[in-house]
Amino acid sequence: MSTAAFEVAATASDVLNVIAAFAGGLLIAGALVWAVWLGMRVRDREPPRPRSEEQPHLPDTGPVRETREMREPDEIHQTERERLLPHELHHSGSKRGDDQHRKRWLPGSSGGFGSGGIGHV
């Protein structure tokens, strides 16, 4: 084949590549337009948003307060098997502690975990 034949073949494939890219772009753009149209139809079928008087409000007694309690680890009993099954576990990994007084740092200690020093005096 001559050089001119290679140029014609290369040009023909470039044109086909451009046409394929354009067709692919049109396909993607059409799919996006269809998806937006479908989303608008679905949204139109949804119930309306609640009005302000339908929104939740505070109870008459006021806001609900937190309860604070000291927890301690829940001991897991030993079994003959090497692992526990899900129905043998509790819903929480801790239980309410017997001593409900907050632990405080000693005076004179820095309070930093693992510091080991006496802190500022």
Side-chain angles (χ1 to χ4, degrees), residues 37-94:
W37 174 78
L38 181 66
M40 289 171 60
R41 285 192 55 198
V42 168
R43 188 172 181 188
D44 288 342
R45 282 187 267 146
E46 291 177 351
R49 294 182 186 150
R51 296 187 307 265
S52 62
E53 57 269 3
E54 297 173 340
Q55 296 289 336
H57 53 83
L58 284 175
D60 295 334
T61 58
V64 178
R65 303 284 183 222
E66 291 183 358
T67 58
R68 186 174 287 206
E69 65 182 7
M70 306 315 293
R71 309 282 296 174
E72 61 184 29
D74 195 8
E75 299 296 327
I76 299 176
H77 61 279
Q78 296 293 327
T79 62
E80 299 84 36
R81 298 182 311 272
E82 64 182 69
R83 67 184 180 108
L84 292 174
L85 298 176
H87 69 275
E88 296 173 322
L89 296 174
H90 301 308
H91 67 282
S92 174
S94 62

Side-chain angles (χ1 to χ4, degrees), residues 70-72 95-101:
M70 306 315 293
R71 309 282 296 174
E72 61 184 29
K95 61 182 179 180
R96 189 173 196 274
D98 295 330
D99 182 19
Q100 289 296 311
H101 297 293

Side-chain angles (χ1 to χ4, degrees), residues 110 112-118:
S110 67
F113 178 74
S115 64
I118 60 170

Side-chain angles (χ1 to χ4, degrees), residues 22-32:
F22 184 72
L26 280 178
L27 182 70
I28 291 173
L32 290 173

Side-chain angles (χ1 to χ4, degrees), residues 1-16:
M1 286 180 94
S2 67
T3 308
F6 282 122
E7 288 179 9
V8 170
T11 306
S13 69
D14 285 345
V15 169
L16 289 176

